[in-house]
Amino acid sequence: MSIKTNRYGPIKSDIVVVGIDVAKDFVDVCVGPEGRSGRYACTARGLGRLVRRLKRVQPTRVVLEATGGLERELVRRLDDA
């Protein structure tokens, strides 16, 4: 395992955390520790693209907010994947 650092200290490079901000029309995604980000439409096609990307990344943990039900379809797709 290689150890990288950022301004906050050491980062274990084998740990990949994904943060997802859910909105009505799109989701914003940040993949760490690199901090790569992207935006995906809240459509079948957009969420499918996001799920395929996350399969390639193989995250250790995915964190997203509960947004009054807007997150349910994405959670279902992630769970199925």
Side-chain angles (χ1 to χ4, degrees), residues 32-74:
E34 300 86 17
R36 287 179 277 150
S37 60
R39 178 172 275 187
Y40 298 84
C42 283
T43 61
R45 183 176 177 181
L47 296 179
R49 287 180 54 226
L50 172 56
V51 169
R52 286 190 298 279
R53 176 181 179 197
L54 295 183
K55 279 183 174 182
R56 289 191 306 273
V57 171
Q58 296 184 339
T60 308
R61 178 166 294 163
V62 177
V63 181
L64 61 116
E65 62 184 329
T67 318
L70 295 174
E71 76 287 352
R72 288 184 186 141
E73 177 63 17
L74 177 56

Side-chain angles (χ1 to χ4, degrees), residues 4-25:
K4 297 178 183 179
T5 61
N6 66 15
R7 65 181 179 198
Y8 303 110
I11 302 170
K12 293 182 180 179
S13 62
D14 61 337
I15 296 174
V16 178
V17 178
V18 175
I20 302 175
D21 181 35
V22 180
K24 182 179 178 184
D25 297 324

